[in-house]
Amino acid sequence: MQQVKVQVESASPGSVGIFVSGAVTRALHADFGLVPVRLAECLGVIAAAKLVLHELKPGVQASLEISANDPDFVRYALRERVPARAEVRDAVRHMWATLDRFARWEIRHERRRKRVLEGGSQAAFPRGLFPWLNPCVAGDGERLPVTLPDCPAVRAQFLASL
């Protein structure tokens, strides 16, 4: 069984650092728009878990060791508290369904010093965060309809990138 460590850190609302090490190694930054820190970290875990699932060879089992910076998010993930906002509840449910695809997972609160993040006034879709994403884009000249998968992390990132 492969072991993968996932670390999510949100220094400000909507912005999250995603660090994956072990069988899959990546260091990425995602801007999910104006969402609370606890939701940004949840979306970061979803994105990291789906990235790991995509990168692992078929049939390989993995266990995730997740550390997060926001104590409220960790309480939601451990089912100790129920989020008040429906958007956060839906994202946490999606996260549980994604994490259930792993042989084992655990999460813990690990307080860290805030990192200095860099950025500008325009969010960009992060390269390498969603390699499994195959959007269906069909344009007719004036409109550009895009069909995205049922993943709150992709939707939030897409909307923040517009």
Side-chain angles (χ1 to χ4, degrees):
M1 182 176 346
Q2 299 283 335
Q3 172 119 4
V4 180
K5 292 184 179 186
V6 173
Q7 176 183 343
V8 292
E9 296 179 6
S10 188
S12 61
S15 180
V16 66
I18 303 168
F19 307 94
V20 181
S21 61
V24 177
T25 302
R26 297 281 192 291
L28 302 159
H29 176 265
D31 184 352
F32 292 112
L34 295 174
V35 299
V37 169
R38 60 188 65 100
L39 179 56
E41 289 196 4
C42 181
L43 297 173
V45 168
I46 292 169
K50 290 191 175 207
L51 173 70
V52 170
L53 288 169
H54 175 77
E55 294 292 322
L56 288 176
K57 293 178 182 169
V60 173
Q61 291 289 318
S63 68
L64 284 186
E65 186 179 309
I66 305 164
S67 66
N69 204 32
D70 186 74
D72 288 328
F73 162 63
V74 174
R75 287 184 189 103
Y76 297 157
L78 295 174
R79 295 179 170 103
E80 292 179 2
R81 288 182 52 200
V82 175
R85 291 179 60 178
E87 180 184 20
V88 179
R89 279 194 309 271
D90 292 342
V92 169
R93 278 190 214 108
H94 190 93
M95 180 194 69
W96 288 333
T98 303
L99 293 177
D100 283 344
R101 296 171 60 190
F102 290 89
R104 183 180 85 69
W105 65 272
E106 63 182 54
I107 188 166
R108 70 177 177 279
H109 171 245
E110 201 169 290
R111 184 119 177 103
R112 290 180 197 82
R113 287 181 46 204
K114 291 186 176 183
R115 295 177 186 239
V116 176
L117 300 176
E118 297 178 10
S121 61
Q122 189 161 7
F125 206 81
R127 294 193 181 274
L129 183 58
F130 303 109
W132 51 269
L133 182 63
N134 293 317
C136 177
V137 181
D140 64 3
E142 293 183 19
R143 296 179 310 143
L144 186 66
V146 178
T147 304
L148 297 172
D150 182 29
C151 178
V154 171
R155 283 193 308 272
Q157 181 63 61
F158 187 79
L159 289 173
S161 298
L162 293 177

